Amino acid sequence: MTESSRNPLRQEWLTWDDVDKLVDVLLPQLRAAGRFDAMILVTRGGIVPGGLLSEALNITNVLTAAVDFPSQISPDDPARMLAFPSFLQFPDDGLLEGKRVLIVDDVWGSGRTSTAVRSRCQSAGATPFTCVFHFNPYRSLFSRVEPDFYGAITDAYIVYPWEVDRGTDGIRSLPHRPGGR
């Protein structure tokens, strides 16, 4: 019997109403922190949360960062968690220098992705802040670092409504209308 079968990871499936509540928790925190000059959405998890927050905060300078951690290291090897990331996509330093940047992802699990993006922003001369919908301190590799802003603390594996595989079942076909409408 494997460790995961003895201790199955608890899952929490969120609705869009749950997501709205997380945004409502985050907005006062973010507004109290002052104006952000730019936002970096960590792909893919940060795209939807970042889109919602950028609209609510009227942040128009929205950028993306794609971070990849080596997969060739065995999942059982503890060194895998310490591997340096590759940045598949990252904003040019000139877009970040001297700016207050809000880094958005969905979850802080191990914390590797958010801290890697934060470090890269600092190297570019930005003042970065990290923001996630969910913070899992029980999985974090960093005992003295946590997200600057988070909507909730969890110990569960979170499934967001945009991650649910909906397929085409239940989608009603509309009758064909002349003229393409």
Side-chain angles (χ1 to χ4, degrees):
M1 186 180 285
T2 66
E3 181 67 25
S4 62
S5 63
R6 282 193 302 255
N7 298 312
L9 188 61
R10 183 174 70 82
Q11 291 187 357
E12 188 174 333
W13 293 67
L14 300 187
T15 65
W16 284 106
D17 285 339
D18 297 327
V19 170
D20 284 342
K21 289 174 187 166
L22 290 167
V23 171
D24 289 343
V25 167
L26 283 165
L27 286 176
Q29 298 174 53
L30 294 167
R31 287 181 176 131
R35 184 181 60 80
F36 297 97
D37 302 305
M39 179 183 285
I40 295 180
L41 313 182
V42 177
T43 65
R44 292 177 335 195
I47 292 175
V48 174
L52 295 169
L53 293 171
S54 68
E55 186 67 28
L57 295 169
N58 197 29
I59 298 173
T60 57
N61 190 5
V62 179
L63 310 163
T64 59
V67 184
D68 182 46
F69 287 89
S71 59
Q72 68 272 18
I73 301 173
S74 166
D76 299 326
D77 185 346
R80 178 175 169 261
M81 298 305 278
L82 303 174
F84 285 101
S86 297
F87 288 91
L88 306 175
Q89 181 181 57
F90 201 83
D92 184 78
D93 289 357
L95 296 172
L96 304 175
E97 186 177 3
K99 302 234 166 64
R100 288 174 42 96
V101 177
L102 183 63
I103 301 161
V104 180
D105 206 351
D106 54 356
V107 174
W108 177 299
S110 69
R112 295 186 308 160
T113 302
S114 290
T115 57
V117 174
R118 175 192 280 158
S119 294
R120 180 96 184 249
C121 286
Q122 285 173 327
S123 295
T127 303
F129 299 85
T130 55
C131 176
V132 294
F133 273 5
H134 287 92
F135 171 42
N136 188 334
Y138 313 102
R139 286 191 50 224
S140 183
L141 296 175
F142 305 92
S143 60
R144 295 187 179 135
V145 179
E146 63 182 39
D148 297 302
F149 309 99
Y150 51 89
I153 293 176
T154 188
D155 65 350
Y157 178 84
I158 303 296
V159 180
Y160 294 98
W162 56 87
E163 297 174 319
V164 176
D165 182 12
R166 291 183 176 90
T168 56
D169 293 345
I171 297 177
R172 185 171 56 94
S173 177
L174 298 176
H176 175 71
R177 293 185 184 180
R181 291 191 161 220

